[in-house]
Amino acid sequence: MRNLRCIQHSSIANVTAIRATAWDVSTDNLLFLRDVEGLIRLERWNGDDLHEIACWDAPQSPYKIVDAHFFSDTESACITFENGDIVVVREHPVDEERIEIVGSIDAGISAAAWSPDEELLVIATKASTFLYLTREYGDLVNTELTAQDLEVSDHVSVGWGKKETQFKGKKARALRDPTLPDTVDDGRLADSNELHETTISWRGDGAYVAVNAIEASMQRRVIRIYSREGVLDSVTEPVNGLIGPLSWRPAGNLLAAVQVFEEKRQVVFFERNGLRHGQFPLASFDRAQTSGEGAIRSLQWNVDSTVLAISYDDRVQLWTMGNYHWYLKQELFEPTLRWHPEKPLAFALVSRSTDRIRRLQYVSDVCAGPILPPLDCGLVVVIDGKTLKVTPFRQANIPPPMSLYEISLSGTANDVLATLKSPELGASQQPIFKIQVLHPFGTSTYLLDLGTSQGPQKIEEREASNGTISNSKEIFTLNRPSSAVGRHDIVLTENGSLLAGQRILARGCTSYLFTPLHLIFTTSQHLLKFVHIAEDPEDLEVPPDTPESDERCRSIERGAKLVTAMPSVFAVVLQMPRGNLETIYPRALVLAGIRGSIDERNYRKAFLACRNQRVDMNILHDHQPDRFISSVGMFIDQIKKVEHIDLFLSSLREEDVSKTMYRETLRVEERQQNDRPDAPSGKVNRICDAFLEALYTRKANVKNVITAQVCRSPPDLDAGLLEIIRLRDNGSDQVDATVEHICFLADVNRLYDNALGLYDLRLTLLIAQQSQKDPREYLPFLQNLQRLEPSRQRFSIDDGLGRFKKAMRHLFDLNAFEELKSYTTRHNLHEEALGLYRYDEDKFSAIMQLYAEHLKTTSQCKEAAIAFHYLDDKAQASECYRLANQWQDCLSVASSIPMPANQFHSLAETLVQSSIETKDFRAAATIHLDYLRDIRSAAKYFCKDYLFTEAFRTITLSFSQLQSQADLLTSVFDPGLTENMASITELLADCKAQLAAQVPRIRELREKKKEDPLAFLEGDINEGKDIPDDVSLAPTDASTMGGSLFTRYTNRTTTGTAETGASRRSSKNRRREERKKARGKKGSVYEEEYLVNSVRRLVERVNSVGDEVGRLVEWMVRRKMVERARAVEGAMVEVVGMCEKAVEEVFSGEPSKEKTVEEEQHEKLEIPVVKESGRLPFLGLGS
């Protein structure tokens, strides 16, 4: 689908007698040799000026230059003459001669060629020898071309012998094997066009070389294929009419040669093993084809193997291949062509008749019509010699080489341009295109009206004044509008960089085109990308290479290129490297069209696009929510079809797709505007309500009404069923259809239950008939229900459906109290039953008795105690208060029974033991003091709870004798102080030891991590050494599963999804991690994190005992235990100081860590604050 279009042209005139040309790839200059007054001049043309490199005497005439090659690295040229001389010309000689004959072959040279790597020169001599010379022109291989060479390839003859010996019976033609040829070539020479020349061609990688020469002994032209080492690899099979031109495709798969017959000429292809591999016919001329005029002189492939140049005596043809068809793309009337060695579509043309040299640069370009809707018909015009192939892809998606229309031309087309005749549509509401054609003899203009079946019509033809445009006006291409984004042109450079002004949008770009909203391009990574058009190139947002998550990027077939786009139908046409076409509908183009239709309130077009392209229909609302809600009536009027409205309603969900799955397909500014605050939940219900209102107003089809009710969240099945009941009551004939419809939308089993819940047995029967239920089951059930009275029927229905509260209400209506009591107990409906009988005291108490027993059974002891208390069952109330650890209420109720003294004493002792087990020493002391009258035990438990003031008050208020008070202080109070001092001292000593072990370890770990982070992350943080036994280590929740050494520490995975590692962890793995944490693995990568958390917990523990230590020290001073008080306070001050230093060191250098979502939700760590401990001035510890 691509044509060759000239984009750069330069020429120089009055350059006579040019004999050969060569390229200097380092400077991109053209060198040529010409004969001027008996001298050979080597000159350089840089595009502007001529510069002479060297000049020397020409050999005796006539002479011929067989090959000319320029070495850019040594700035020297090698010229091979037919008389056998090999001349080297140095442009900048140092200690060598400028012109030197480095060798001479007496027999003469018929062909020569340098290898692609410029290391070998192969020469075919006129003495039928084949030579290999090195870069220093040393003889490497010397072999003879003999008839025995033809035996190296044993080609199998598939002929059937002579015609005279073949059986020609009835229907013999039909029985013949179609894969076998009618005749077998014997390799005879062509009658005409045979110039008896020899040609040489290298394969692109330099591994093989082919030589095409006549084997004189057999009068047959043979192509021999030699390896780089000079070993004959194969020879071609016999081909009649084969002539001299030969070119090996640089890609290496084919050799191209020319076969000439009296009636036709064709290019034939050979494989490296010498076997034929297809052919294509050459276009005929409008003049006599003789050996002197119009004979084929050479074949040349360009460097990337895409274009084959065929040189005649007076012209050059450029051929390309697509989908196994060969297209003639250019015909230039200069006989000599030289391809650029590195630029695929750059070449030089030499015209000896006009003494002119041209340099041309072509591009492979698609001639496409306008892409602006509604004129985007996908019109593409392809040049094929004297035929234009025209296809509007919007009308007919015809693969090449076929086309919808063909235009026959008077000459070979070199360029074509398709434009609009006018920006307005024709009478048939189809655009009219003007097709301008440039050919060597003039221009032609055709009109194509897509609204008619006539095809293109010629309206104008203009010829050049002297025969060819290329000779008269140097016109090689038609003018085209520039490709621009905003104020800047878009340029695709030779190296594949896509530029917008000075900004590089992408590298490795292979093709691009524009639509009104997008810049579309393909890349060498086989991706199709969409960029939103912006006025400023800096605002162009190129999507990343993430086709799996970004709708602006899409994977395509390897090597695919853009042909055209049709935004009106959301289509993009791609051509594969082989030549076949593929039409795709990219999401970015589809969504742009849908949004445009929504903006225009053309909801029908937007809906059909969503339906055809499988786009989430929520975008119809989410793109412009407020406008859609206000335009629901318009939406219904445009869509009309009941099935389409149902499809839209059934596709609704709460997600805002404009912010999630389709967010990236918006422009940046549109994305920012779209970042509105989330609307309150209930989007589906709001849309369904709007539809219901509009449908009721229009008295629309009841199916749409039912769909809107069933698609609510949660589904309003009862409302849908009530619509069916209304239809039935009105005598409508649509009842069966609506029942079938609602059963399609919702679960038929749920509908059956809801129909039962409406107490409509007829509707229930209709629903059951649409289900898979067995009639032998539901028919007897419904018949039994039909026989019951209404309240009992409804009770049975609600009980069967599990609606126990409603069923109990029906029992209440039936005044079946005993049945209601058992039903309440069976289904735990005590609260509802109490509500029903709140005005009937006797029945209320009976239900309360059931409820109290139920609460006691389910261990809700406090609530059960309150219920029993209401029922004046104080014994049960006291017992339930005891079970609920409500000792005050328990003893209060027990005291009011009244209870025997010994039983009451036993109850109090039981409550004391329960309080001690729960560490509630204050409660135990209060019970001893108030109910058991045990002063000694009360004081003891007050001391255990560090309530020394309360203990002292109890002792002093209970006895009047000073001796008894002193005895209690000595035997109870002072031992309590001593016991608590020992406990506090042991705790503070443990804290000091833990800080002394863990803080230096944290410091050591951080130093090791700073010195060698990789070793730290891999877990070898101790270099094989043992870890101190007094340091406890345990891993945290961070996973040790899989991933790289970095993901092990950061708890991140390397996959491209948005999920975290923790969310993919199974419960089994989480339990395994918890077990590892509990075991406390030493030397793991999580050691530092665990130690930091351990220090944090220690600081919190020290803060919690500060008040207890203060009370202990105060009363030890009062009891004249000053030294002990000083020791306790000193230990506390020391531990607090250590904690302050630890917090400053540990938490100021604590590294930030990446956490999983689960950890961030359940753990908020802050730097702990150490509380200052209170000090008594009497102890003299100072500050």
Side-chain angles (χ1 to χ4, degrees), residues 149 525 618 1039 1094:
D149 295 342
Q525 285 78 33
N618 284 271
S1039 173
S1094 178

Side-chain angles (χ1 to χ4, degrees), residues 448-469:
L448 175 61
D449 187 352
L450 296 180
T452 66
S453 59
Q454 296 179 357
Q457 303 294 320
K458 183 187 292 188
I459 61 172
E460 182 184 13
E461 184 168 5
R462 185 179 303 171
E463 294 187 359
S465 57
N466 62 346
T468 64
I469 291 180

Side-chain angles (χ1 to χ4, degrees), residues 490-753:
I490 296 293
V491 178
L492 179 59
T493 63
E494 294 179 359
N495 60 5
S497 296
L498 188 64
L499 305 179
Q502 299 299 319
R503 181 188 172 191
I504 299 178
L505 297 179
R507 300 184 186 277
C509 177
T510 56
S511 63
Y512 73 97
L513 56 79
F514 288 98
T515 68
L517 298 178
H518 296 96
L519 165 63
I520 311 174
F521 64 90
T522 57
T523 69
S524 55
Q525 285 78 33
H526 326 301
L527 298 174
L528 177 67
K529 294 190 175 185
F530 291 79
V531 179
H532 295 290
I533 299 295
E535 187 68 21
D536 188 351
E538 297 301 324
D539 295 335
L540 296 174
E541 185 182 10
V542 180
D545 296 346
T546 54
E548 66 279 355
S549 60
D550 196 334
E551 297 285 9
R552 298 171 298 167
C553 182
R554 170 175 175 151
S555 296
I556 56 176
E557 187 174 332
R558 179 182 296 272
K561 292 183 179 182
L562 290 165
V563 175
T564 188
M566 294 166 282
S568 295
V569 293
F570 327 121
V572 170
V573 181
L574 298 168
Q575 186 170 28
M576 307 304 118
R578 191 186 68 194
N580 57 309
L581 300 180
E582 181 179 354
T583 301
I584 62 174
Y585 299 86
R587 274 288 186 265
L589 214 57
V590 173
L591 291 169
I594 292 173
R595 291 190 178 103
S597 300
I598 295 174
D599 293 338
E600 299 170 359
R601 297 198 179 188
N602 189 347
Y603 290 109
R604 175 178 174 79
K605 182 177 179 181
F607 171 83
L608 293 177
C610 291
R611 179 173 176 264
N612 295 335
Q613 301 300 329
R614 303 182 66 83
V615 175
D616 194 317
M617 291 193 180
N618 284 271
I619 196 175
L620 297 174
H621 166 271
D622 297 340
H623 179 56
Q624 291 185 355
D626 297 335
R627 174 182 286 189
F628 181 84
I629 294 295
S630 62
S631 305
V632 166
M634 182 185 298
F635 181 90
I636 295 173
D637 294 338
Q638 290 182 8
I639 300 298
K640 295 181 181 178
K641 291 190 68 173
V642 175
E643 295 80 4
H644 289 176
I645 296 176
D646 287 345
L647 177 61
F648 170 74
L649 291 172
S650 61
S651 302
L652 293 175
R653 64 178 192 275
E654 293 294 337
E655 179 187 356
D656 187 346
V657 296
S658 64
K659 292 183 178 180
T660 55
M661 60 192 305
Y662 298 140
R663 183 177 186 272
E664 299 300 330
T665 56
L666 290 169
R667 299 172 185 263
V668 177
E669 57 271 16
E670 292 174 342
R671 224 176 294 159
Q672 295 171 351
Q673 295 173 4
N674 199 42
D675 289 338
R676 54 185 180 270
D678 293 335
S681 59
K683 167 188 130 179
V684 175
N685 290 343
R686 286 196 305 274
I687 297 174
C688 290
D689 291 341
F691 266 83
L692 286 172
E693 181 180 354
L695 290 170
Y696 285 136
T697 303
R698 288 163 172 76
K699 297 182 180 180
N701 191 294
V702 71
K703 288 185 178 180
N704 292 150
V705 176
I706 292 175
T707 303
Q709 290 164 339
V710 172
C711 290
R712 291 175 60 86
S713 180
D716 193 354
L717 300 180
D718 288 347
L721 293 171
L722 289 173
E723 288 291 335
I724 298 176
I725 293 174
R726 183 181 60 82
L727 282 178
R728 185 195 63 195
D729 295 342
N730 292 336
S732 174
D733 57 353
Q734 298 182 8
V735 175
D736 292 339
T738 52
V739 168
E740 184 178 353
H741 178 68
I742 196 172
C743 290
F744 172 76
L745 292 175
D747 183 8
V748 68
N749 295 316
R750 289 186 59 191
L751 287 170
Y752 178 83
D753 293 343

Side-chain angles (χ1 to χ4, degrees), residues 285 287 293-295 311-316 332-335:
F285 294 155
R287 60 189 69 186
E293 184 178 2
S311 298
Y312 296 84
D313 284 337
D314 60 345
R315 70 192 70 192
V316 173
L332 306 172
F333 283 83
E334 280 87 1

Side-chain angles (χ1 to χ4, degrees), residues 1033-1037 1072-1081:
L1033 303 177
T1036 63
D1037 290 336
R1072 183 186 299 138
E1073 292 300 320
E1074 290 297 332
R1075 289 195 296 269
K1076 289 182 180 179
K1077 179 179 179 180
R1079 286 197 299 268
K1081 182 180 178 181

Side-chain angles (χ1 to χ4, degrees), residues 750-770:
R750 289 186 59 191
L751 287 170
Y752 178 83
D753 293 343
N754 281 74
L756 267 179
L758 294 175
Y759 315 118
D760 191 319
L761 300 183
R762 293 172 57 192
L763 178 61
T764 305
L765 179 60
L766 290 175
I767 298 296
Q769 290 171 349
Q770 295 293 330

